[in-house]
Amino acid sequence: IAYFTNKQLRIQPYSFVFYRTLCDFGFITTLFISAFHTDSSTNNEDCRVLSSFLQFFGMAAQGWFFVMIVNLWITYRHLFLKPESYVYVHFIFVFVLSGASVLALLLSSNYGVSSFGICWVRSRGESINPWTWILFFIPTLILFICSLFIIVWMFYKMKFVRYTVQGNERHRVLAFSRICVAFFGIYWGLLGLVYFFNYLS
């Protein structure tokens, strides 16, 4: 609601937060549908559609997070560059990333009932499912490490920037990006613990 009523929130990088929120909402909604849809009688083919949607929204959300950081880096380097000149590249990146991951899931026939009892990456009875890592956790980790590298680089460069009007704007961009990376790390760190203890049980 705030996105549609506040014009300021419809410009970059705030619009990317909205897109990621939409993908997170799609991910959570599909997760709940999958949880109620999956039972002991559910076979792997029954999970084909739900697994695809869950994979798409999950990777799209991670893609938009990375786009947010990259956009902040672009803003840091070119404060007055109009985002309309490159924003379509962000959409292509996110949809290619999430679409390719869904295609890999379907072509490898690894969709099905997961170890969590929902429709996603099919469980093969292993303690650690390699396909879950290949299709989701490793790409997520790569995006996080790349984002962290960008933040460290920006922080290093800010040591040599004076507190002028442009310098203050760059400090604001850096502060916003650090908050994004911190929340992303905490969010997936907690989910990683849940994932770990699920395998222990």
Side-chain angles (χ1 to χ4, degrees):
I1 294 173
Y3 176 82
F4 291 107
T5 57
N6 189 335
K7 185 177 180 180
Q8 182 67 22
L9 295 180
R10 295 196 295 271
I11 62 175
Q12 282 75 27
Y14 305 106
S15 61
F16 296 139
V17 178
F18 172 72
Y19 299 145
R20 186 181 180 209
T21 302
L22 280 182
C23 292
D24 277 332
F25 180 76
F27 182 78
I28 295 299
T29 301
T30 309
L31 194 65
F32 273 108
I33 294 173
S34 180
F36 286 107
H37 167 79
T38 310
D39 55 33
S40 57
S41 63
T42 304
N43 60 47
N44 292 326
E45 284 301 320
D46 294 334
C47 287
R48 186 185 182 98
V49 174
L50 283 175
S51 296
S52 299
F53 274 105
L54 199 62
Q55 179 68 23
F56 178 86
F57 284 123
M59 285 310 305
Q62 310 323 315
W64 280 120
F65 162 78
F66 183 67
V67 161
M68 285 164 49
I69 300 302
V70 170
N71 184 75
L72 288 169
W73 175 69
I74 294 172
T75 302
Y76 170 83
R77 296 201 58 175
H78 310 283
L79 287 175
F80 302 107
L81 180 65
K82 292 183 178 180
E84 292 80 8
S85 61
Y86 59 84
V87 70
Y88 71 93
V89 178
H90 297 332
F91 280 92
I92 292 173
F93 169 77
V94 171
F95 286 117
V96 167
L97 174 69
S98 50
S101 70
V102 172
L103 191 62
L105 175 68
L106 295 176
L107 291 179
S108 63
S109 298
N110 276 292
Y111 52 86
V113 181
S114 71
S115 58
F116 294 102
I118 60 171
C119 288
W120 194 5
V121 181
R122 176 160 54 108
S123 173
R124 299 180 180 274
E126 301 160 321
S127 58
I128 296 179
N129 189 342
W131 279 100
T132 304
W133 283 88
I134 292 170
L135 291 171
F136 189 77
F137 288 109
I138 290 178
T140 298
L141 188 60
I142 291 173
L143 292 177
F144 177 73
I145 291 172
C146 291
S147 300
L148 197 60
F149 176 79
I150 291 173
I151 297 302
V152 170
W153 180 87
M154 290 170 62
F155 185 78
Y156 172 76
K157 287 293 184 179
M158 283 304 299
K159 292 168 60 177
F160 308 102
V161 175
R162 296 180 179 180
Y163 279 88
T164 60
V165 174
Q166 292 188 10
N168 290 338
E169 183 65 19
R170 286 191 167 95
H171 277 284
R172 184 189 68 81
V173 169
L174 179 59
F176 185 79
S177 58
R178 281 188 295 184
I179 292 172
C180 290
V181 171
F183 274 105
F184 185 86
I186 293 170
Y187 177 74
W188 283 108
L190 292 174
L191 284 185
L193 288 176
V194 173
Y195 182 78
F196 176 72
F197 284 117
N198 176 72
Y199 273 123
L200 288 182
S201 61

